[in-house]
């Protein structure tokens, strides 16, 4: 059942009142909420998996476990292990001129956090930020995508079973509710989705001066170096591209390949894809494109490239919504496939002659959410790391930097703003309040008015040594 805007306001008021009554939940309270979140995932894992597969048309239960359930369980364990240390006030350096006073940081909950999650990884991208939100002592309202309605209803029931509405609640509804949700004066708003919608979300939040974490997307490059052993690494690229049928915000969106290795790269990549998925249509391991509308958009990208002279290599024709991979050669910047985020099993392949040329190609576009580099030449690797800017990087693999709870996850520029995961998420959803504690032995009075010559001499002396 769709949530009304009046119910959204009621839940916001309820959570605000609960936060006012307990603005700094104790360690035991936060740990209990994390334990209940873990129990929710364990109890509903099979129901979540079935709902996601039905919403998509087909998605392997193993893939949902691998990409959504396992990372969530790991994130909860990580937060539980470090929570006490994260909550502890941090002493920080104090300028010697203010000794024996000292400084510290207090990490305090913000209040009520709104979380808007997308359809492509509906469980992970709803509950991963929630782990950090709860660890930081906040309350949360969640708005899952209307494009995965069975999952959204299942999540709403699960949260209602394990949490009181003044702690966490799920709101279901269409795009109109989503717009109202983003215009709500939360203490922080998390949005995961496209860059185009992210701009609208930021504008809506700005009217309330609501701080936002935007996890967007863009065109994440995979740079294949001349030092790359194609036989050993391309299966990782194939896996990163085809998991969830490419419907992943950090999936490789195009590949940059040294021109002399182009034919060998294409042959090795095709072989790797076909080892992972001997067939695509009817393969229970291969995910369907989530909707007919999205499928037609992907076909239109291919057709646009074909009409502009691209060479189109389809690994399997006519596979319906279980769309087989398509490799695109002889592409150029005027094609939509090199302008729009693909979000599907299409891979444009761009040949380059020098590493500088490859880096320039990446830097001529919006800063990506992820970047991948394959090779063994450490000097080339370090040059790419130093001369490009992206949300995150995996070297000689794809996607796996996202699974490291000790690393922040987030974009830069059009690919997003703000980070979460682990301590970075705890800090994102906390106010780090600076506190200076003055000593009874403070000598500040020595520079108070009246500004006698002695005070002026002392200030000149301090200015030279501060």
């Amino acid at each position: 059942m769709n949530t009304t805007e009046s119910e959204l306001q009621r839940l916001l008021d309820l959570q605000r009142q609960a936060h006012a009554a307990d603005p700094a939940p104790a360690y035991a309270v936060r740990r209990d909420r994390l334990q209940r979140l873990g129990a929710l995932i364990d109890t509903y894992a099979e129901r979540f998996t079935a709902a996601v597969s039905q919403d998509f048309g087909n998605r392997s239960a193993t893939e949902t476990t691998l990409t959504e359930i396992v990372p969530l369980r790991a994130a909860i364990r990580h937060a539980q292990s470090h929570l006490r240390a994260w909550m502890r006030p941090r002493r920080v350096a104090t300028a010697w001129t203010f000794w024996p006073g000292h400084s510290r940081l207090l990490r305090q909950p913000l209040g009520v956090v709104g979380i808007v999650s997308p359809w492509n990884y509906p469980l992970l991208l709803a509950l991963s930020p929630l782990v950090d939100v709860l660890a930081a002592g906040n309350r949360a309202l969640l708005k899952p995508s209307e494009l995965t309605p069975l999952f959204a209803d299942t999540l709403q029931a699960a949260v209602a079973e394990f949490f009181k509405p003044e702690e966490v609640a799920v709101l279901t509804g269409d795009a109109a509710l989503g717009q109202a949700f983003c215009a709500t004066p939360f203490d922080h708003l998390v949005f995961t989705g496209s860059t185009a919608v992210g701009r609208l979300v930021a504008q809506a939040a700005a009217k309330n001066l609501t701080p936002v974490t935007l996890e967007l997307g863009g065109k994440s490059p995979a740079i294949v170096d001349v030092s790359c052993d194609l036989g050993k690494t391309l299966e990782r690229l194939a896996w990163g591209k085809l998991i969830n049928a490419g419907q992943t915000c950090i999936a490789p969106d195009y590949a940059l390949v040294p021109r002399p290795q182009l034919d060998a790269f294409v042959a090795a990549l095709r072989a790797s894809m076909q080892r992972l998925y001997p067939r695509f249509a009817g393969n229970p391991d291969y995910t369907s494109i989530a909707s007919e509308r999205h499928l037609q958009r992907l076909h239109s990208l291919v057709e646009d490239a074909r009409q502009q002279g691209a060479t189109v290599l389809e690994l399997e024709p006519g596979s319906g919504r279980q769309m087989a991979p398509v490799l695109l050669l002889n592409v150029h910047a005027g094609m939509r496939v090199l302008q729009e985020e693909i979000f599907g099993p299409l891979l444009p392949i761009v040949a380059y002659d020098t590493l500088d040329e490859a880096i320039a190609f990446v830097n001529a576009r919006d800063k990506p959410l992820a970047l991948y580099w394959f090779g063994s030449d450490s000097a080339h690797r370090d040059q790419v790391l130093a001369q490009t800017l992206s949300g995150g990087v995996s070297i000689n693999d794809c996607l796996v930097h996202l699974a490291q709870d000790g690393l922040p996850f987030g974009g830069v520029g059009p690919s997003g703003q703000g980070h979460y995961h682990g301590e970075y998420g705890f800090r994102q959803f906390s106010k780090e309040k600076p506190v200076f504690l003055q000593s009874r032995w403070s000598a500040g009075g020595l520079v108070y008015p009246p500004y006698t010559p002695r005070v002026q001499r002392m200030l000149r002396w301090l200015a030279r040594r501060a």
Side-chain angles (χ1 to χ4, degrees), residues 270-303:
R270 291 185 67 169
S272 293
M273 288 178 167
Q274 289 167 331
R275 277 196 301 272
L276 295 174
Y277 303 97
R279 72 181 195 283
F280 296 92
N283 187 338
D285 291 337
Y286 189 63
T287 300
S288 298
I289 301 303
S291 68
E292 188 65 30
R293 177 183 176 184
H294 187 34
L295 177 66
Q296 293 309 313
R297 176 183 167 274
L298 293 170
H299 284 312
S300 73
L301 290 177
V302 174
E303 191 56 33

